[in-house]
């Protein structure tokens, strides 16, 4: 079963607003990843984090790897309509295991 | 195209039927993964191949699920005697190398509905 708790489950915001979502776990993860999934498509990688405390940006997206290695957050600034989709956090438990554990997703809707 | 290709796009099966789902990874990609995504949930890991070797099948939910990649490129996920709880989107992903931080490229999935 899922080991990552992702929140919020859904968000409905106005265009131009900032968005924040996060993931927590009872387990320590080696790597944190954030993906976006559009309807009918597979997930697409947005940001990858490899070190505790790491803060990484990709355009309007910013993500951080929590210092305890048990959490991560994703911020989207100045949202636009094409940000609509489902955002998933994913973690890798250790370097020896390639499998990713995914959160249950945050569904984002943006009102133009 | 240059992406991960999965077929069929949709599959409807009667309970008890066997199904086979195909994945064509990006050419030259060494690593290949299968994930199962239930409605409203995140993907869950099923199995992992490095070339033709199945290195991790810990996520396969039962012995009805079987995956192969005989020549290290195309992979097939087979589900025998399908049950309603098998209804989900089955995603395939590949990456070029075996490094743990190697970027995964996902296909669009096969949506399986078991009636």
């Amino acid at each position: 079963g899922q080991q990552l708790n992702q929140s919020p489950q859904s968000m409905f915001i106005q265009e131009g607003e900032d968005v924040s979502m996060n993931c927590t776990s009872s387990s320590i993860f080696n790597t944190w990843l954030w993906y976006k999934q559009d309807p009918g498509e597979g997930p697409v990688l947005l940001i990858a984090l490899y070190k505790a405390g790491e803060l990484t940006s990709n355009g309007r997206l910013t993500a951080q790897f929590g210092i305890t290695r048990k959490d991560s957050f994703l911020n989207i600034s100045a949202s636009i309509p094409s940000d609509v989709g489902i955002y998933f956090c994913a973690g890798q438990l250790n370097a020896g295991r390639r499998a990713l554990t995914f959160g249950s997703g945050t569904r984002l809707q943006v009102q133009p | 195209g240059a992406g991960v290709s999965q077929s069929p796009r949709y599959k409807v099966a009667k309970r008890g039927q066997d199904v086979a789902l195909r994945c064509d990874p990006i050419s030259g990609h060494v690593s290949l993964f299968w994930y199962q995504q239930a409605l409203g949930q995140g993907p869950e890991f099923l199995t992992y191949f490095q070339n033709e070797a199945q290195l991790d099948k810990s996520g396969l939910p039962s012995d009805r699920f079987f995956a192969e990649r005989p020549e290290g490129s195309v992979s097939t996920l087979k589900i025998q005697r399908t049950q309603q709880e098998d209804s989900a989107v089955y995603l395939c992903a590949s990456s070029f190398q075996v490094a743990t931080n190697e970027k995964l490229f996902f296909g669009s999935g096969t949506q399986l509905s078991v009636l």
Side-chain angles (χ1 to χ4, degrees), chain B residues 17-89:
Chain B
Q17 280 186 336
D18 297 348
V19 298
L21 312 180
R22 177 187 170 105
C23 173
D24 282 85
I26 295 172
S27 179
H29 277 201
V30 169
S31 298
L32 185 146
F33 302 78
W34 283 98
Y35 283 82
Q36 179 191 58
Q37 187 173 22
L39 186 65
Q41 298 297 317
E44 290 200 12
F45 171 78
L46 293 176
T47 188
Y48 160 58
F49 289 86
Q50 183 179 315
N51 294 307
E52 69 279 2
Q54 189 174 20
L55 298 186
D56 187 347
K57 54 181 180 180
S58 62
L60 296 176
S62 77
D63 59 6
R64 296 186 297 104
F65 287 71
F66 172 76
E68 59 183 5
R69 195 186 184 197
E71 298 178 357
S73 55
V74 171
S75 177
T76 303
L77 176 67
K78 298 180 179 178
I79 309 173
Q80 297 177 325
R81 304 181 303 282
T82 53
Q83 300 178 6
Q84 285 189 321
E85 60 261 32
D86 299 335
S87 296
V89 174

Side-chain angles (χ1 to χ4, degrees), chain A residues 32-97:
Chain A
W32 282 94
L33 305 161
W34 285 92
Y35 286 85
K36 179 175 183 267
Q37 187 174 28
D38 292 326
E41 301 296 329
V44 174
L45 182 65
L46 299 174
I47 290 182
L49 302 158
Y50 303 110
K51 295 181 181 178
E54 181 180 355
L55 183 71
T56 297
S57 292
N58 178 9
R60 293 179 296 106
L61 277 59
T62 301
Q64 184 159 30
F65 191 146
I67 197 71
T68 64
R69 296 170 61 194
K70 292 183 177 181
D71 63 304
S72 177
F73 72 75
L74 174 70
N75 287 342
I76 306 173
S77 62
S79 58
I80 58 178
S82 62
D83 290 335
V84 166
I86 304 177
Y87 292 79
F88 291 99
C89 61
Q92 186 178 27
L93 278 171
N94 57 66
R97 188 156 189 264

